Amino acid sequence: MQIGERGVFVGYSGPSLNAPPVFSPGAVVAVCRVYAEGIYRCRAITLGGQELPNITDMVLAEEIVPLKAAGDEPRKPPKVEVALEATATPESVDRILASRGSKHFNDLRDRAAYVYVAGGHPSHLRTFFTQALVLLSDITNGPTALDGRSGVLRMKACAVERLRLNQHPMVIKTRQYVSDGWLIRASRGPNERRPYTKVFLLRGAERVTVQIDGSVLTDWP
């Protein structure tokens, strides 16, 4: 989404840290600032369509459904799933694995796909997903990345099967590149983020980025 665009707030996907919620599920909000990797600052909007500059909060891309245009009337709010628990337990993770097709299942699958490809955790994950990935993986002597060069985390066989990781578009596309001689890089450089939505590959002076949906960028943006 871009600055000025509006969307329907679905609900916070994780607990707020020592702060009360600002937006309620179903509220219409406007993007007022765009950060990296699908993080926005949004303003509240009144029923009359007026933006309230003093009522803002950080919103993740998965927590907002864009409207077709900034002037659209608010539509019926999408179905809101139960919020993630504060702590991932074997029981809570198993419930997600059993709810194939749900938002939480897809969110966990995307993050697990990165571990499956790169052999390590992505950065800047919410606590629940970090804990869930720990439960679903084992530490090995490595290497565990798909290119066989790095990584110490290996997804458990049951997680690979239940999350259908071999059918994940980012896994499929990365495998194709690795088989053609491309190497995986955990990030673009020292102290850079490791977003779960991207896998950076290089071959000689060539660079490509495989994205979460399997699409490919011909550089490292």
Side-chain angles (χ1 to χ4, degrees):
M1 296 182 67
Q2 304 297 320
I3 293 175
E5 288 188 294
R6 297 184 177 187
V8 178
F9 181 67
V10 178
Y12 295 102
S13 53
S16 299
L17 298 177
N18 301 320
V22 175
F23 303 131
S24 300
V28 178
V29 297
V31 176
C32 60
R33 186 171 179 181
V34 178
Y35 298 89
E37 305 302 335
I39 304 175
Y40 311 105
R41 179 164 292 280
C42 293
R43 290 193 182 110
I45 298 178
T46 67
L47 292 176
Q50 180 182 2
E51 295 187 16
L52 302 176
N54 295 327
I55 302 179
T56 70
D57 200 7
M58 300 285 286
V59 173
L60 299 175
E62 60 205 56
E63 298 170 349
I64 186 172
V65 177
L67 293 173
K68 292 182 179 179
D72 282 355
E73 292 296 323
R75 61 189 180 189
K76 183 178 179 180
K79 181 180 179 181
V80 178
E81 296 193 44
V82 176
L84 291 174
E85 299 175 21
T87 302
T89 63
E91 293 75 21
S92 63
V93 173
D94 190 64
R95 284 194 295 271
I96 292 177
L97 295 177
S99 61
R100 182 177 293 186
S102 70
K103 178 180 181 299
H104 294 334
F105 178 93
N106 292 332
D107 288 347
L108 180 57
R109 184 180 185 231
D110 285 344
R111 290 153 177 79
Y114 178 92
V115 177
Y116 192 49
V117 167
H121 283 171
S123 61
H124 297 78
L125 288 184
R126 288 189 295 281
T127 301
F128 180 92
F129 286 117
T130 298
Q131 295 172 341
L133 292 176
V134 169
L135 292 171
L136 294 174
S137 62
D138 293 314
I139 297 178
T140 72
N141 291 327
T144 56
L146 289 187
D147 64 359
R149 296 175 62 249
S150 60
V152 296
L153 294 182
R154 188 183 308 279
M155 296 300 298
K156 295 179 179 179
C158 62
V160 173
E161 179 180 356
R162 297 185 69 181
L163 289 169
R164 298 179 294 119
L165 294 183
N166 285 315
Q167 289 75 47
H168 192 285
M170 187 168 74
V171 174
I172 292 173
K173 184 60 67 174
T174 301
R175 270 210 174 101
Q176 292 173 357
Y177 273 86
V178 167
S179 67
D180 201 25
W182 291 77
L183 303 177
I184 296 170
R185 280 284 296 271
S187 66
R188 292 172 291 191
N191 301 319
E192 291 282 348
R193 294 169 64 103
R194 301 182 304 280
Y196 71 88
T197 56
K198 294 179 175 62
V199 177
F200 304 110
L201 298 108
L202 74 164
R203 186 178 63 180
E206 299 177 280
R207 297 180 177 184
V208 297
T209 303
V210 176
Q211 302 191 102
I212 198 71
D213 61 356
S215 60
V216 178
L217 304 176
T218 56
D219 203 348
W220 292 357

